[in-house]
């Protein structure tokens, strides 16, 4: 007989998380605050994650990864580096010839 289990207790997530960025090239450490709810929303917008079906621990782990990515982007922009320069969205790329 197959069994399933899910967490029923609400888990309250923080509004914001602080991410420490260590820049070993410049020898600096900076703390960047990231909107955690936006990171969660970004996960849902990816379309690969159903926020209603994923276990809370997995969801928190994935949202933390997104928050770290957002923090690194914020840090790079603050020092004048565009982390997405030259990067195209997958849906904006043209199809290869012959397809």
């Amino acid at each position: 007989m197959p069994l399933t289990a899910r967490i029923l207790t609400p888990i309250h997530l923080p509004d914001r998380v602080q991410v420490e960025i260590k820049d070993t090239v410049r020898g600096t450490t900076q703390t960047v605050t990231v909107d955690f709810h936006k990171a969660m929303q970004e996960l849902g917008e990816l379309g690969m994650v159903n926020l209603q079906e994923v276990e809370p621990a997995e969801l928190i782990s994935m949202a933390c990864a997104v928050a770290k990515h957002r923090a690194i982007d914020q840090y790079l922009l603050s020092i004048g580096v565009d982390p997405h320069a030259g990067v195209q969205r997958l849906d904006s790329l043209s199809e290869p010839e012959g397809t």
Side-chain angles (χ1 to χ4, degrees), residues 51-87:
L51 300 181
Q52 305 306 316
E53 294 180 7
V54 176
E55 287 292 323
E58 294 171 313
L59 186 60
I60 292 168
S61 180
M62 288 186 283
C64 284
V66 171
K68 288 178 184 178
H69 177 82
R70 291 174 65 93
I72 290 169
D73 282 356
Q74 287 178 29
Y75 172 73
L76 290 172
L77 288 169
S78 77
I79 62 170
V81 176
D82 182 354
H84 298 249
V87 177

